Amino acid sequence: MTQHAIIIGGGIVGISCAIRLQEKGISTLLIERENPLRGASWGNAGHVAVEQIDPLASMATLKSFPRRLFWRGGALGLPWRDIGRWLPFSLRLLNAARPSRFAAGRAALKAMLKEAMPAWQRIDALCAGQSRLIEDGHFIAWESEASALAGRRAWMAADCGTARFRDATARELALLEALFPHPIIGAIRCEGSGRIADPTRLAQDLRDALLAAGGRIEQAEVGALPTRDGKAQVQLADGRTLDADHIIVATGAASDALLRPLGHKVPIIAERGYHLQTPNPPEGWPMDMPPVVFEDRSMIVTRFESGLRAASFVEFSSLSSPPDPRKWQRLRAHAAALGLPIEANAQPWIGARPTLPDYLPAIGRSDRAENLLYAFGHQHLGLTLGPLTGEIIAALATGAPPPVDATPFSLRRFEG
């Protein structure tokens, strides 16, 4: 008898889960809340960041908070209106940053990132047409000698897993200087990381791959996950109740609203980011230009097929809070200072990264309902780890050995 699965959430994690479950012969329904998709999966910098081994829940991160605050010119936003959200989260982050917990989290994250690029290659191969994955690394650039010296020293000494850094060549520096009229004092290049060619095409190609494999997609609002005879059901806002052999919650920062009523502790926060993107590809920017991280500005610039995107900011907030227009103004100021061709017609975006206090994802099987699984909380690494997470969920659903041990990512870690 054919099994059925319902995946709730149309981001990179949800659609990766759906594709892999359908591949296993499980009849799959993907429920997405909105179309066109505007979640963090599609509004990020397009960076497959396999080099980011260290969880951001660290003492080094916490010590950097004061100088990174938005009102001091940095990228960290702590809105007073949301203090009830970010203060408790910050206290949990402090606990997660203890050396022993950080070391364990680092080992778990490193194991996932080691398998992230192969998983991306596999899911890219399932899609038709030109490849979505470009494995050409990225640049990190600095605008002062002090920051260049400190930044280069830190990255060259860091354990970056399957990636490595080297100094930018004279030719690469000349390319950066041609694209960014503002003086760049130093730059390094990462080899082993990657990017996607375009987020809009990625989303469509993955949807097409799922449909071609026999999966279904429905736009709907999920209101709750009631349980019956030890199994979860999907209750839609239109009054329908759906049953399935497997139900996967992959709704990012909104996942707690579905899981808390079942008794799960989900200390997640909406870590919001902002971007500006030009409506057309910029003249003079080659398509093979890798992303550039400007560490002095906590900003990344990515050339997509559809346009040039500048992204920044870490704003601990709530999903329902209105955007802060000052963030887009700051981005425009950075773009102007660097000489980027981001004009008044650039499209603004805001989206919420789903972040847990230890900066590790939540991936596993619920102990509140036997058919319920979850996959969310990937913070800045949702795009990077989405395809691998899909493979892990498919293995957990079918009883196969997962490609990476999922034990460290269980929600049970928050129950102590």
Side-chain angles (χ1 to χ4, degrees):
M1 180 179 294
T2 301
Q3 291 192 329
H4 297 268
I6 297 174
I7 297 87
I8 310 169
I12 184 65
V13 173
I15 199 164
S16 296
C17 291
I19 288 172
R20 289 307 181 184
L21 286 166
Q22 186 70 35
E23 183 185 42
K24 299 293 184 182
I26 298 173
S27 179
T28 300
L29 170 63
L30 176 69
I31 298 178
E32 56 188 24
R33 182 179 180 181
E34 58 185 4
N35 194 6
L37 302 172
R38 288 187 55 81
S41 293
W42 321 113
N44 57 53
H47 177 38
V48 182
V50 296
E51 79 285 356
Q52 294 183 13
I53 299 295
D54 288 345
L56 292 176
S58 68
M59 288 300 176
T61 298
L62 290 168
K63 290 177 181 177
S64 73
F65 272 13
R67 61 182 172 82
R68 294 184 182 276
L69 288 167
F70 178 75
W71 63 268
R72 299 185 68 176
L76 175 61
L78 299 174
W80 281 111
R81 67 181 178 227
D82 294 313
I83 190 171
R85 296 282 297 177
W86 57 257
L87 183 58
F89 179 86
S90 299
L91 296 175
R92 294 187 183 99
L93 193 158
L94 179 62
N95 183 51
R98 288 181 297 145
S100 60
R101 293 196 63 185
F102 172 78
R106 187 179 190 277
L109 193 58
K110 184 175 182 179
M112 283 199 79
L113 288 169
K114 181 181 178 182
E115 301 299 327
M117 193 64 79
W120 250 110
Q121 293 164 348
R122 288 189 288 270
I123 204 167
D124 185 51
L126 293 177
C127 299
Q130 186 178 359
S131 176
R132 288 129 294 273
L133 176 65
I134 303 173
E135 299 177 65
D136 60 357
H138 67 282
F139 290 104
I140 299 179
W142 297 278
E143 300 165 67
S144 76
E145 294 208 10
S147 61
L149 181 63
R152 181 187 181 280
R153 183 188 300 121
W155 280 111
M156 291 297 191
D159 178 2
C160 295
T162 58
R164 72 178 186 89
F165 281 92
R166 61 166 173 78
D167 288 317
T169 65
R171 187 173 184 177
E172 290 167 342
L173 287 171
L175 174 61
L176 291 171
E177 290 170 359
L179 294 176
F180 301 96
H182 185 79
I184 292 176
I185 302 302
I188 57 177
R189 183 163 184 171
C190 180
E191 296 178 334
S193 64
R195 60 188 169 104
I196 58 169
D198 195 78
T200 301
R201 181 162 73 87
L202 172 67
Q204 188 59 56
D205 287 353
L206 290 174
R207 288 163 60 89
D208 290 346
L210 175 59
L211 295 172
R216 295 178 295 135
I217 301 175
E218 180 175 342
Q219 186 176 350
E221 178 83 22
V222 176
L225 298 175
T227 57
R228 181 180 179 183
D229 299 329
K231 291 187 176 183
Q233 300 174 300
V234 176
Q235 188 176 83
L236 301 180
D238 62 12
R240 287 180 293 159
T241 299
L242 308 179
D243 293 289
D245 299 287
H246 311 283
I247 296 172
I248 295 89
V249 175
T251 50
S255 297
D256 61 331
L258 293 176
L259 294 174
R260 281 183 187 274
L262 298 176
H264 283 293
K265 290 185 178 179
V266 189
I268 201 165
I269 198 165
E271 187 187 320
R272 305 199 302 179
Y274 293 70
H275 84 222
L276 291 170
Q277 179 166 334
T278 62
N280 298 297
E283 293 185 11
W285 277 70
M287 185 57 221
D288 60 355
M289 179 65 193
V292 183
V293 176
F294 290 91
E295 281 206 332
D296 298 324
R297 301 174 186 270
S298 298
M299 183 176 77
I300 181 169
V301 179
T302 307
R303 202 289 197 194
F304 292 123
E305 292 170 351
S306 56
L308 188 68
R309 179 177 295 179
S312 184
F313 299 111
V314 171
E315 182 184 83
F316 291 120
S317 188
S318 65
L319 285 171
S320 59
S321 292
D324 182 353
R326 297 175 301 166
K327 304 293 194 310
W328 288 310
Q329 293 170 4
R330 178 78 59 81
L331 270 176
R332 291 187 186 279
H334 284 321
L338 291 168
L340 292 176
I342 294 180
E343 309 297 339
N345 62 349
Q347 295 298 307
W349 172 92
I350 180 174
R353 310 175 190 95
T355 301
L356 292 158
D358 55 8
Y359 274 78
L360 299 178
I363 307 170
R365 181 179 291 278
S366 171
D367 52 12
R368 307 301 200 269
E370 61 183 74
N371 64 332
L372 183 63
L373 297 99
Y374 50 82
F376 62 91
H378 293 69
Q379 37 103 7
H380 295 253
L381 298 175
L383 182 74
T384 302
L385 296 175
L388 178 62
T389 300
E391 295 182 3
I392 295 172
I393 287 294
L396 294 177
T398 58
V404 173
D405 180 17
T407 305
F409 311 115
S410 171
L411 281 174
R412 285 190 287 273
R413 69 189 191 266
F414 298 116
E415 295 179 0

